[in-house]
Short mmCIF file of all heavy atoms in Angstrom, two decimals:
data_model
loop_
_atom_site.label_atom_id
_atom_site.label_comp_id
_atom_site.label_asym_id
_atom_site.label_seq_id
_atom_site.Cartn_x
_atom_site.Cartn_y
_atom_site.Cartn_z
N MET A 109 28.76 -24.15 -40.06
CA MET A 109 28.05 -24.64 -38.88
C MET A 109 27.80 -23.49 -37.91
O MET A 109 28.69 -22.70 -37.65
CB MET A 109 28.87 -25.74 -38.20
CG MET A 109 28.19 -26.31 -36.94
SD MET A 109 29.17 -27.62 -36.20
CE MET A 109 28.67 -29.01 -37.23
N PHE A 110 26.62 -23.43 -37.37
CA PHE A 110 26.29 -22.36 -36.45
C PHE A 110 26.74 -22.70 -35.03
O PHE A 110 26.71 -23.85 -34.64
CB PHE A 110 24.79 -22.10 -36.44
CG PHE A 110 24.26 -21.56 -37.74
CD1 PHE A 110 23.56 -22.38 -38.60
CD2 PHE A 110 24.52 -20.24 -38.10
CE1 PHE A 110 23.08 -21.89 -39.80
CE2 PHE A 110 24.04 -19.75 -39.30
CZ PHE A 110 23.33 -20.57 -40.16
N ASN A 111 27.16 -21.66 -34.33
CA ASN A 111 27.49 -21.83 -32.91
C ASN A 111 26.39 -21.16 -32.11
O ASN A 111 26.39 -19.97 -31.90
CB ASN A 111 28.86 -21.22 -32.61
CG ASN A 111 29.26 -21.48 -31.17
OD1 ASN A 111 28.48 -21.97 -30.37
ND2 ASN A 111 30.51 -21.16 -30.85
N ALA A 112 25.45 -21.93 -31.65
CA ALA A 112 24.25 -21.38 -31.02
C ALA A 112 24.50 -20.92 -29.59
O ALA A 112 23.65 -20.29 -28.99
CB ALA A 112 23.14 -22.41 -31.03
N THR A 113 25.67 -21.23 -29.04
CA THR A 113 25.89 -20.91 -27.63
C THR A 113 26.57 -19.56 -27.45
O THR A 113 26.60 -19.04 -26.35
CB THR A 113 26.77 -21.98 -26.97
OG1 THR A 113 28.00 -22.07 -27.67
CG2 THR A 113 26.07 -23.33 -26.99
N SER A 114 27.11 -18.98 -28.51
CA SER A 114 27.79 -17.71 -28.35
C SER A 114 26.85 -16.56 -28.68
O SER A 114 26.08 -16.61 -29.62
CB SER A 114 29.02 -17.65 -29.26
OG SER A 114 28.62 -17.71 -30.60
N ALA A 115 26.94 -15.50 -27.86
CA ALA A 115 26.10 -14.33 -28.10
C ALA A 115 26.66 -13.55 -29.27
O ALA A 115 27.87 -13.39 -29.39
CB ALA A 115 26.07 -13.46 -26.85
N PRO A 116 25.80 -13.05 -30.13
CA PRO A 116 26.27 -12.23 -31.26
C PRO A 116 26.85 -10.92 -30.77
O PRO A 116 26.35 -10.32 -29.83
CB PRO A 116 25.00 -12.00 -32.08
CG PRO A 116 23.87 -12.18 -31.11
CD PRO A 116 24.35 -13.19 -30.10
N ALA A 117 27.92 -10.47 -31.39
CA ALA A 117 28.56 -9.23 -30.99
C ALA A 117 27.60 -8.07 -31.16
O ALA A 117 27.00 -7.89 -32.21
CB ALA A 117 29.82 -9.00 -31.82
N GLY A 118 27.44 -7.29 -30.10
CA GLY A 118 26.57 -6.14 -30.18
C GLY A 118 25.10 -6.50 -30.18
O GLY A 118 24.25 -5.67 -30.43
N GLY A 119 24.81 -7.76 -29.87
CA GLY A 119 23.42 -8.20 -29.93
C GLY A 119 22.79 -8.40 -28.57
O GLY A 119 21.93 -9.24 -28.42
N VAL A 120 23.24 -7.61 -27.58
CA VAL A 120 22.68 -7.74 -26.25
C VAL A 120 21.22 -7.30 -26.24
O VAL A 120 20.89 -6.22 -26.72
CB VAL A 120 23.48 -6.89 -25.24
CG1 VAL A 120 22.78 -6.88 -23.88
CG2 VAL A 120 24.88 -7.43 -25.10
N VAL A 121 20.36 -8.15 -25.75
CA VAL A 121 18.94 -7.80 -25.58
C VAL A 121 18.53 -8.20 -24.17
O VAL A 121 18.50 -9.38 -23.84
CB VAL A 121 18.05 -8.52 -26.61
CG1 VAL A 121 16.58 -8.16 -26.36
CG2 VAL A 121 18.45 -8.14 -28.02
N LEU A 122 18.24 -7.20 -23.37
CA LEU A 122 17.83 -7.46 -22.00
C LEU A 122 16.34 -7.76 -21.92
O LEU A 122 15.56 -7.28 -22.72
CB LEU A 122 18.14 -6.23 -21.12
CG LEU A 122 19.61 -5.90 -20.93
CD1 LEU A 122 19.75 -4.59 -20.18
CD2 LEU A 122 20.33 -7.02 -20.18
N ASP A 123 15.99 -8.57 -20.94
CA ASP A 123 14.58 -8.87 -20.70
C ASP A 123 14.07 -7.90 -19.64
O ASP A 123 14.24 -8.11 -18.45
CB ASP A 123 14.43 -10.31 -20.22
CG ASP A 123 12.96 -10.66 -19.95
OD1 ASP A 123 12.09 -9.79 -20.18
OD2 ASP A 123 12.71 -11.78 -19.51
N TRP A 124 13.48 -6.81 -20.11
CA TRP A 124 12.98 -5.79 -19.19
C TRP A 124 11.46 -5.74 -19.26
O TRP A 124 10.84 -4.70 -19.07
CB TRP A 124 13.58 -4.41 -19.52
CG TRP A 124 14.93 -4.21 -18.91
CD1 TRP A 124 15.78 -5.18 -18.46
CD2 TRP A 124 15.59 -2.97 -18.67
NE1 TRP A 124 16.92 -4.61 -17.96
CE2 TRP A 124 16.83 -3.26 -18.07
CE3 TRP A 124 15.24 -1.64 -18.90
CZ2 TRP A 124 17.73 -2.25 -17.71
CZ3 TRP A 124 16.14 -0.64 -18.54
CH2 TRP A 124 17.36 -0.95 -17.96
N ARG A 125 10.84 -6.89 -19.51
CA ARG A 125 9.38 -6.92 -19.58
C ARG A 125 8.76 -6.53 -18.24
O ARG A 125 7.63 -6.09 -18.18
CB ARG A 125 8.90 -8.32 -20.00
CG ARG A 125 9.08 -8.58 -21.48
CD ARG A 125 8.75 -10.01 -21.82
NE ARG A 125 9.67 -10.96 -21.18
CZ ARG A 125 9.56 -12.27 -21.27
NH1 ARG A 125 8.58 -12.79 -21.95
NH2 ARG A 125 10.43 -13.05 -20.69
N HIS A 126 9.51 -6.74 -17.17
CA HIS A 126 8.98 -6.44 -15.84
C HIS A 126 9.47 -5.08 -15.34
O HIS A 126 9.25 -4.74 -14.18
CB HIS A 126 9.38 -7.54 -14.85
CG HIS A 126 8.92 -8.89 -15.28
ND1 HIS A 126 7.59 -9.26 -15.27
CD2 HIS A 126 9.59 -9.96 -15.77
CE1 HIS A 126 7.49 -10.51 -15.72
NE2 HIS A 126 8.68 -10.95 -16.03
N ALA A 127 10.15 -4.34 -16.19
CA ALA A 127 10.62 -3.02 -15.79
C ALA A 127 9.44 -2.10 -15.55
O ALA A 127 8.40 -2.21 -16.20
CB ALA A 127 11.53 -2.45 -16.87
N THR A 128 9.61 -1.20 -14.62
CA THR A 128 8.53 -0.27 -14.30
C THR A 128 8.75 1.06 -15.00
O THR A 128 9.84 1.35 -15.49
CB THR A 128 8.45 -0.04 -12.78
OG1 THR A 128 9.72 0.41 -12.32
CG2 THR A 128 8.09 -1.33 -12.06
N ILE A 129 7.69 1.85 -15.03
CA ILE A 129 7.74 3.17 -15.65
C ILE A 129 7.53 4.22 -14.56
O ILE A 129 6.69 4.06 -13.68
CB ILE A 129 6.64 3.31 -16.72
CG1 ILE A 129 6.83 2.26 -17.82
CG2 ILE A 129 6.64 4.72 -17.32
CD1 ILE A 129 8.11 2.41 -18.60
N GLY A 130 8.30 5.30 -14.62
CA GLY A 130 8.16 6.36 -13.63
C GLY A 130 8.16 7.71 -14.31
O GLY A 130 8.16 7.79 -15.53
N PRO A 131 8.14 8.77 -13.52
CA PRO A 131 8.21 10.11 -14.09
C PRO A 131 9.53 10.30 -14.85
O PRO A 131 10.52 9.64 -14.53
CB PRO A 131 8.17 11.03 -12.87
CG PRO A 131 7.82 10.17 -11.70
CD PRO A 131 8.10 8.76 -12.07
N LEU A 132 9.53 11.22 -15.81
CA LEU A 132 10.75 11.48 -16.56
C LEU A 132 11.87 11.88 -15.60
O LEU A 132 11.71 12.75 -14.75
CB LEU A 132 10.52 12.60 -17.58
CG LEU A 132 9.90 12.18 -18.92
CD1 LEU A 132 9.63 13.41 -19.77
CD2 LEU A 132 10.81 11.22 -19.65
N ALA A 133 13.01 11.22 -15.74
CA ALA A 133 14.17 11.52 -14.92
C ALA A 133 15.41 11.23 -15.76
O ALA A 133 15.36 10.43 -16.69
CB ALA A 133 14.16 10.66 -13.66
N PRO A 134 16.53 11.91 -15.46
CA PRO A 134 17.73 11.71 -16.27
C PRO A 134 18.22 10.27 -16.23
O PRO A 134 18.38 9.69 -15.16
CB PRO A 134 18.76 12.65 -15.62
CG PRO A 134 17.94 13.66 -14.87
CD PRO A 134 16.71 12.93 -14.43
N CYS A 135 18.44 9.70 -17.41
CA CYS A 135 19.01 8.36 -17.52
C CYS A 135 20.40 8.36 -16.87
O CYS A 135 21.19 9.29 -17.06
CB CYS A 135 19.12 8.00 -19.00
SG CYS A 135 20.07 6.52 -19.36
N VAL A 136 20.68 7.32 -16.09
CA VAL A 136 21.96 7.26 -15.38
C VAL A 136 23.14 7.06 -16.32
O VAL A 136 24.28 7.28 -15.95
CB VAL A 136 21.96 6.13 -14.33
CG1 VAL A 136 20.94 6.42 -13.23
CG2 VAL A 136 21.70 4.78 -14.96
N LEU A 137 22.84 6.68 -17.56
CA LEU A 137 23.92 6.42 -18.51
C LEU A 137 24.13 7.55 -19.51
O LEU A 137 25.25 7.92 -19.81
CB LEU A 137 23.67 5.11 -19.24
CG LEU A 137 23.77 3.86 -18.35
CD1 LEU A 137 23.41 2.61 -19.15
CD2 LEU A 137 25.17 3.72 -17.77
N CYS A 138 23.03 8.11 -20.04
CA CYS A 138 23.19 9.13 -21.08
C CYS A 138 22.70 10.51 -20.63
O CYS A 138 23.00 11.50 -21.27
CB CYS A 138 22.47 8.71 -22.36
SG CYS A 138 20.68 8.84 -22.29
N GLY A 139 21.97 10.57 -19.51
CA GLY A 139 21.54 11.85 -18.97
C GLY A 139 20.30 12.42 -19.61
O GLY A 139 19.79 13.45 -19.17
N LEU A 140 19.77 11.77 -20.63
CA LEU A 140 18.55 12.23 -21.27
C LEU A 140 17.34 11.72 -20.49
O LEU A 140 17.43 10.71 -19.80
CB LEU A 140 18.50 11.74 -22.72
CG LEU A 140 19.57 12.31 -23.65
CD1 LEU A 140 19.48 11.65 -25.02
CD2 LEU A 140 19.45 13.81 -23.77
N PRO A 141 16.22 12.44 -20.57
CA PRO A 141 15.04 12.02 -19.83
C PRO A 141 14.61 10.59 -20.19
O PRO A 141 14.56 10.23 -21.37
CB PRO A 141 13.97 13.02 -20.26
CG PRO A 141 14.74 14.22 -20.72
CD PRO A 141 16.00 13.68 -21.31
N ALA A 142 14.34 9.81 -19.17
CA ALA A 142 13.92 8.42 -19.38
C ALA A 142 12.71 8.11 -18.53
O ALA A 142 12.61 8.55 -17.39
CB ALA A 142 15.07 7.47 -19.03
N LEU A 143 11.78 7.35 -19.10
CA LEU A 143 10.61 6.89 -18.34
C LEU A 143 10.87 5.53 -17.74
O LEU A 143 10.35 5.18 -16.69
CB LEU A 143 9.39 6.79 -19.27
CG LEU A 143 8.79 8.11 -19.76
CD1 LEU A 143 7.74 7.83 -20.84
CD2 LEU A 143 8.15 8.86 -18.61
N CYS A 144 11.69 4.74 -18.42
CA CYS A 144 11.92 3.36 -18.01
C CYS A 144 12.83 3.30 -16.78
O CYS A 144 13.78 4.06 -16.65
CB CYS A 144 12.57 2.60 -19.17
SG CYS A 144 12.64 0.83 -18.91
N ARG A 145 12.49 2.37 -15.88
CA ARG A 145 13.31 2.15 -14.69
C ARG A 145 13.99 0.80 -14.81
O ARG A 145 13.37 -0.19 -15.21
CB ARG A 145 12.45 2.17 -13.43
CG ARG A 145 11.79 3.52 -13.16
CD ARG A 145 12.82 4.57 -12.79
NE ARG A 145 12.19 5.86 -12.47
CZ ARG A 145 11.94 6.81 -13.34
NH1 ARG A 145 12.24 6.63 -14.61
NH2 ARG A 145 11.40 7.94 -12.97
N SER A 146 15.25 0.76 -14.41
CA SER A 146 15.94 -0.53 -14.39
C SER A 146 15.21 -1.47 -13.45
O SER A 146 14.95 -1.13 -12.30
CB SER A 146 17.38 -0.34 -13.91
OG SER A 146 17.94 -1.59 -13.54
N PRO A 147 14.86 -2.69 -13.90
CA PRO A 147 14.14 -3.62 -13.05
C PRO A 147 15.00 -4.14 -11.90
O PRO A 147 14.49 -4.69 -10.94
CB PRO A 147 13.76 -4.76 -14.01
CG PRO A 147 14.77 -4.69 -15.09
CD PRO A 147 15.13 -3.24 -15.24
N VAL A 148 16.30 -3.95 -11.99
CA VAL A 148 17.20 -4.46 -10.96
C VAL A 148 17.52 -3.38 -9.92
O VAL A 148 17.43 -3.60 -8.72
CB VAL A 148 18.51 -4.97 -11.59
CG1 VAL A 148 19.46 -5.48 -10.52
CG2 VAL A 148 18.19 -6.08 -12.58
N LYS A 149 17.87 -2.19 -10.41
CA LYS A 149 18.32 -1.13 -9.51
C LYS A 149 17.25 -0.05 -9.28
O LYS A 149 17.42 0.82 -8.45
CB LYS A 149 19.59 -0.48 -10.06
CG LYS A 149 20.75 -1.47 -10.15
CD LYS A 149 22.00 -0.78 -10.67
CE LYS A 149 23.18 -1.76 -10.76
NZ LYS A 149 24.38 -1.12 -11.28
N ASP A 150 16.17 -0.10 -10.06
CA ASP A 150 15.09 0.87 -9.95
C ASP A 150 15.61 2.29 -10.18
O ASP A 150 15.18 3.23 -9.53
CB ASP A 150 14.39 0.75 -8.60
CG ASP A 150 13.02 1.44 -8.62
OD1 ASP A 150 12.39 1.46 -9.69
OD2 ASP A 150 12.61 1.96 -7.57
N THR A 151 16.55 2.43 -11.09
CA THR A 151 17.07 3.74 -11.44
C THR A 151 16.62 4.08 -12.86
O THR A 151 16.41 3.19 -13.68
CB THR A 151 18.61 3.76 -11.39
OG1 THR A 151 19.10 2.67 -12.18
CG2 THR A 151 19.11 3.60 -9.97
N PRO A 152 16.43 5.38 -13.16
CA PRO A 152 16.05 5.77 -14.52
C PRO A 152 17.13 5.39 -15.52
O PRO A 152 18.29 5.77 -15.34
CB PRO A 152 15.87 7.29 -14.44
CG PRO A 152 16.18 7.70 -13.06
CD PRO A 152 16.60 6.51 -12.26
N CYS A 153 16.76 4.62 -16.50
CA CYS A 153 17.75 4.16 -17.46
C CYS A 153 17.05 3.65 -18.71
O CYS A 153 16.07 2.92 -18.62
CB CYS A 153 18.58 3.03 -16.84
SG CYS A 153 19.84 2.36 -17.92
N HIS A 154 17.55 4.06 -19.89
CA HIS A 154 17.00 3.53 -21.12
C HIS A 154 17.46 2.09 -21.30
O HIS A 154 18.62 1.76 -21.02
CB HIS A 154 17.49 4.35 -22.32
CG HIS A 154 17.05 5.80 -22.29
ND1 HIS A 154 17.95 6.83 -22.16
CD2 HIS A 154 15.82 6.34 -22.35
CE1 HIS A 154 17.27 7.98 -22.16
NE2 HIS A 154 15.99 7.71 -22.27
N LYS A 155 16.55 1.25 -21.78
CA LYS A 155 16.91 -0.15 -22.01
C LYS A 155 18.07 -0.24 -23.01
O LYS A 155 19.01 -1.00 -22.83
CB LYS A 155 15.69 -0.90 -22.53
CG LYS A 155 15.94 -2.38 -22.80
CD LYS A 155 14.61 -3.07 -23.09
CE LYS A 155 14.82 -4.54 -23.42
NZ LYS A 155 15.35 -4.70 -24.80
N ARG A 156 18.01 0.57 -24.06
CA ARG A 156 19.08 0.53 -25.06
C ARG A 156 20.40 1.02 -24.49
O ARG A 156 21.47 0.58 -24.90
CB ARG A 156 18.69 1.38 -26.28
CG ARG A 156 17.62 0.70 -27.11
CD ARG A 156 17.45 1.41 -28.45
NE ARG A 156 16.45 0.72 -29.27
CZ ARG A 156 16.18 1.06 -30.52
NH1 ARG A 156 16.80 2.08 -31.07
NH2 ARG A 156 15.28 0.40 -31.20
N CYS A 157 20.35 1.97 -23.55
CA CYS A 157 21.58 2.43 -22.93
C CYS A 157 22.21 1.31 -22.11
O CYS A 157 23.43 1.11 -22.13
CB CYS A 157 21.30 3.64 -22.03
SG CYS A 157 20.99 5.15 -22.95
N ALA A 158 21.38 0.58 -21.37
CA ALA A 158 21.89 -0.53 -20.57
C ALA A 158 22.49 -1.60 -21.48
O ALA A 158 23.55 -2.16 -21.19
CB ALA A 158 20.76 -1.12 -19.73
N GLU A 159 21.83 -1.87 -22.58
CA GLU A 159 22.32 -2.88 -23.51
C GLU A 159 23.65 -2.44 -24.13
O GLU A 159 24.58 -3.24 -24.28
CB GLU A 159 21.27 -3.15 -24.58
CG GLU A 159 20.03 -3.85 -24.02
CD GLU A 159 18.85 -3.84 -24.98
OE1 GLU A 159 18.90 -3.11 -25.99
OE2 GLU A 159 17.89 -4.54 -24.70
N ALA A 160 23.74 -1.16 -24.46
CA ALA A 160 24.98 -0.64 -25.04
C ALA A 160 26.10 -0.67 -24.01
O ALA A 160 27.25 -0.97 -24.33
CB ALA A 160 24.75 0.79 -25.54
N TRP A 161 25.75 -0.36 -22.74
CA TRP A 161 26.75 -0.36 -21.67
C TRP A 161 27.30 -1.77 -21.48
O TRP A 161 28.52 -1.97 -21.37
CB TRP A 161 26.11 0.14 -20.37
CG TRP A 161 27.08 0.26 -19.23
CD1 TRP A 161 27.79 1.36 -18.88
CD2 TRP A 161 27.44 -0.78 -18.30
NE1 TRP A 161 28.57 1.07 -17.78
CE2 TRP A 161 28.39 -0.22 -17.41
CE3 TRP A 161 27.05 -2.11 -18.13
CZ2 TRP A 161 28.95 -0.96 -16.37
CZ3 TRP A 161 27.62 -2.85 -17.10
CH2 TRP A 161 28.56 -2.27 -16.23
N ILE A 162 26.41 -2.75 -21.47
CA ILE A 162 26.84 -4.14 -21.30
C ILE A 162 27.73 -4.56 -22.47
O ILE A 162 28.78 -5.19 -22.29
CB ILE A 162 25.61 -5.06 -21.20
CG1 ILE A 162 24.95 -4.86 -19.82
CG2 ILE A 162 26.00 -6.52 -21.39
CD1 ILE A 162 23.64 -5.60 -19.68
N THR A 163 27.33 -4.18 -23.68
CA THR A 163 28.11 -4.55 -24.86
C THR A 163 29.52 -3.99 -24.78
O THR A 163 30.50 -4.66 -25.11
CB THR A 163 27.42 -4.02 -26.13
OG1 THR A 163 26.12 -4.59 -26.21
CG2 THR A 163 28.22 -4.39 -27.37
N SER A 164 29.64 -2.75 -24.30
CA SER A 164 30.95 -2.10 -24.28
C SER A 164 31.79 -2.52 -23.08
O SER A 164 33.01 -2.34 -23.09
CB SER A 164 30.78 -0.58 -24.29
OG SER A 164 30.12 -0.15 -23.12
N HIS A 165 31.17 -3.08 -22.04
CA HIS A 165 31.91 -3.43 -20.83
C HIS A 165 32.24 -4.92 -20.73
O HIS A 165 33.08 -5.31 -19.93
CB HIS A 165 31.14 -3.00 -19.58
CG HIS A 165 31.27 -1.54 -19.29
ND1 HIS A 165 30.63 -0.56 -20.04
CD2 HIS A 165 31.99 -0.86 -18.36
CE1 HIS A 165 30.95 0.62 -19.56
NE2 HIS A 165 31.76 0.48 -18.56
N ALA A 166 31.57 -5.74 -21.50
CA ALA A 166 31.83 -7.18 -21.43
C ALA A 166 33.21 -7.49 -22.00
O ALA A 166 33.58 -7.01 -23.06
CB ALA A 166 30.76 -7.94 -22.20
N THR A 167 33.98 -8.26 -21.26
CA THR A 167 35.34 -8.58 -21.69
C THR A 167 35.44 -9.99 -22.27
O THR A 167 36.45 -10.35 -22.84
CB THR A 167 36.31 -8.48 -20.50
OG1 THR A 167 35.84 -9.33 -19.45
CG2 THR A 167 36.37 -7.05 -19.99
N SER A 168 34.37 -10.77 -22.12
CA SER A 168 34.37 -12.13 -22.66
C SER A 168 32.92 -12.60 -22.76
O SER A 168 32.03 -12.00 -22.14
CB SER A 168 35.14 -13.07 -21.72
OG SER A 168 34.44 -13.21 -20.49
N PRO A 169 32.65 -13.65 -23.52
CA PRO A 169 31.27 -14.16 -23.60
C PRO A 169 30.71 -14.53 -22.24
O PRO A 169 29.52 -14.31 -21.97
CB PRO A 169 31.41 -15.39 -24.50
CG PRO A 169 32.60 -15.09 -25.36
CD PRO A 169 33.55 -14.32 -24.45
N ILE A 170 31.54 -15.07 -21.36
CA ILE A 170 31.07 -15.43 -20.02
C ILE A 170 30.74 -14.17 -19.22
O ILE A 170 29.71 -14.10 -18.54
CB ILE A 170 32.15 -16.26 -19.29
CG1 ILE A 170 32.29 -17.62 -19.97
CG2 ILE A 170 31.78 -16.44 -17.81
CD1 ILE A 170 33.40 -18.48 -19.40
N HIS A 171 31.62 -13.17 -19.33
CA HIS A 171 31.37 -11.91 -18.65
C HIS A 171 30.09 -11.27 -19.19
O HIS A 171 29.28 -10.72 -18.44
CB HIS A 171 32.57 -10.99 -18.84
CG HIS A 171 32.50 -9.72 -18.03
ND1 HIS A 171 33.12 -8.56 -18.41
CD2 HIS A 171 31.86 -9.44 -16.87
CE1 HIS A 171 32.86 -7.61 -17.50
NE2 HIS A 171 32.12 -8.12 -16.56
N LEU A 172 29.90 -11.36 -20.49
CA LEU A 172 28.71 -10.80 -21.13
C LEU A 172 27.46 -11.45 -20.57
O LEU A 172 26.50 -10.77 -20.20
CB LEU A 172 28.80 -11.01 -22.64
CG LEU A 172 27.61 -10.45 -23.45
CD1 LEU A 172 27.62 -8.93 -23.43
CD2 LEU A 172 27.68 -10.95 -24.89
N ALA A 173 27.47 -12.78 -20.49
CA ALA A 173 26.30 -13.50 -19.96
C ALA A 173 26.05 -13.12 -18.51
O ALA A 173 24.91 -12.99 -18.08
CB ALA A 173 26.53 -15.00 -20.08
N HIS A 174 27.14 -12.93 -17.76
CA HIS A 174 27.01 -12.55 -16.35
C HIS A 174 26.38 -11.16 -16.23
O HIS A 174 25.50 -10.94 -15.40
CB HIS A 174 28.39 -12.57 -15.69
CG HIS A 174 28.36 -12.14 -14.25
ND1 HIS A 174 27.96 -12.97 -13.24
CD2 HIS A 174 28.66 -10.95 -13.67
CE1 HIS A 174 28.02 -12.30 -12.08
NE2 HIS A 174 28.44 -11.08 -12.32
N LEU A 175 26.82 -10.24 -17.06
CA LEU A 175 26.28 -8.88 -17.03
C LEU A 175 24.81 -8.87 -17.42
O LEU A 175 23.99 -8.18 -16.80
CB LEU A 175 27.08 -7.98 -17.97
CG LEU A 175 28.48 -7.58 -17.48
CD1 LEU A 175 29.21 -6.79 -18.57
CD2 LEU A 175 28.41 -6.76 -16.21
N ILE A 176 24.46 -9.63 -18.44
CA ILE A 176 23.07 -9.70 -18.88
C ILE A 176 22.20 -10.24 -17.75
O ILE A 176 21.13 -9.70 -17.45
CB ILE A 176 22.93 -10.57 -20.15
CG1 ILE A 176 23.60 -9.86 -21.33
CG2 ILE A 176 21.46 -10.85 -20.45
CD1 ILE A 176 23.66 -10.72 -22.59
N ALA A 177 22.66 -11.29 -17.09
CA ALA A 177 21.88 -11.87 -15.99
C ALA A 177 21.76 -10.88 -14.84
O ALA A 177 20.71 -10.78 -14.20
CB ALA A 177 22.55 -13.16 -15.52
N ALA A 178 22.84 -10.13 -14.59
CA ALA A 178 22.85 -9.20 -13.47
C ALA A 178 21.94 -8.01 -13.70
O ALA A 178 21.49 -7.38 -12.76
CB ALA A 178 24.28 -8.74 -13.20
N HIS A 179 21.68 -7.71 -14.96
CA HIS A 179 20.88 -6.53 -15.27
C HIS A 179 19.52 -6.86 -15.84
O HIS A 179 18.82 -6.00 -16.36
CB HIS A 179 21.66 -5.62 -16.24
CG HIS A 179 22.87 -5.01 -15.63
ND1 HIS A 179 22.83 -3.83 -14.91
CD2 HIS A 179 24.16 -5.43 -15.58
CE1 HIS A 179 24.04 -3.55 -14.47
NE2 HIS A 179 24.86 -4.51 -14.85
N SER A 180 19.13 -8.13 -15.72
CA SER A 180 17.80 -8.53 -16.16
C SER A 180 16.96 -8.88 -14.93
O SER A 180 17.48 -9.39 -13.95
CB SER A 180 17.87 -9.75 -17.07
OG SER A 180 18.57 -9.44 -18.26
N ALA A 181 15.68 -8.61 -15.03
CA ALA A 181 14.79 -8.96 -13.93
C ALA A 181 14.64 -10.47 -13.87
O ALA A 181 14.47 -11.12 -14.90
CB ALA A 181 13.43 -8.31 -14.13
N ARG A 182 14.72 -10.99 -12.68
CA ARG A 182 14.54 -12.42 -12.52
C ARG A 182 13.06 -12.77 -12.61
O ARG A 182 12.24 -12.13 -11.97
CB ARG A 182 15.09 -12.89 -11.17
CG ARG A 182 16.59 -12.72 -11.09
CD ARG A 182 17.12 -13.33 -9.80
NE ARG A 182 18.55 -13.08 -9.66
CZ ARG A 182 19.07 -12.49 -8.56
NH1 ARG A 182 18.31 -12.15 -7.58
NH2 ARG A 182 20.37 -12.29 -8.49
N SER A 183 12.74 -13.77 -13.41
CA SER A 183 11.36 -14.17 -13.53
C SER A 183 11.01 -15.20 -12.46
O SER A 183 11.65 -16.25 -12.39
CB SER A 183 11.14 -14.78 -14.93
OG SER A 183 9.85 -15.34 -14.99
N PRO A 184 10.03 -14.92 -11.64
CA PRO A 184 9.67 -15.86 -10.57
C PRO A 184 9.11 -17.16 -11.11
O PRO A 184 9.14 -18.18 -10.44
CB PRO A 184 8.62 -15.10 -9.77
CG PRO A 184 8.06 -14.09 -10.71
CD PRO A 184 9.19 -13.74 -11.65
N ASN A 185 8.60 -17.14 -12.33
CA ASN A 185 8.01 -18.34 -12.91
C ASN A 185 9.00 -19.11 -13.77
O ASN A 185 8.71 -20.22 -14.20
CB ASN A 185 6.79 -17.96 -13.77
CG ASN A 185 5.73 -17.27 -12.92
OD1 ASN A 185 5.56 -17.61 -11.76
ND2 ASN A 185 5.03 -16.32 -13.50
N GLY A 186 10.14 -18.51 -14.05
CA GLY A 186 11.16 -19.19 -14.85
C GLY A 186 10.81 -19.25 -16.31
O GLY A 186 11.37 -20.05 -17.05
N GLY A 187 9.91 -18.44 -16.77
CA GLY A 187 9.60 -18.45 -18.19
C GLY A 187 8.29 -17.74 -18.45
O GLY A 187 7.52 -17.46 -17.54
N ALA A 188 8.01 -17.48 -19.73
CA ALA A 188 6.80 -16.75 -20.07
C ALA A 188 5.63 -17.72 -20.10
O ALA A 188 5.32 -18.30 -21.05
CB ALA A 188 6.98 -16.05 -21.42
ZN1 LIG B 180 19.89 6.63 -21.69
#
């Protein structure tokens, strides 16, 4: 039986469709040049770096969901 409510381990996928692009600047997580800006903090950051950071810092499924929500852009329309 599948458990559809639990996030797969290492399967963090952030919704950064609304993330902006800026000049190349060091990623705040890995230090390599990044074009992508965090939609929440507006800092240079690779989406995959943010996803990896969340995966490594989450201490529980609830904490994981909280981190994902905290680092995803809020959609004003509530959906695509
Ligand atoms: Zn990075």
Side-chain angles (χ1 to χ4, degrees):
M109 180 179 277
F110 294 105
N111 184 351
T113 58
S114 64
V120 172
V121 178
L122 294 174
D123 180 3
W124 277 19
R125 284 174 295 177
H126 303 289
T128 56
I129 300 296
L132 276 175
C135 169
V136 295
L137 292 176
C138 75
L140 294 175
L143 289 171
C144 190
R145 296 292 183 270
S146 164
V148 179
K149 298 181 179 179
D150 197 31
T151 52
C153 180
H154 298 115
K155 181 171 177 284
R156 287 191 178 185
C157 286
E159 291 166 349
W161 183 92
I162 287 174
T163 300
S164 64
H165 281 74
T167 56
S168 67
I170 292 175
H171 188 207
L172 181 69
H174 178 79
L175 286 175
I176 292 173
H179 293 274
S180 296
R182 294 187 185 125
S183 172
N185 299 326

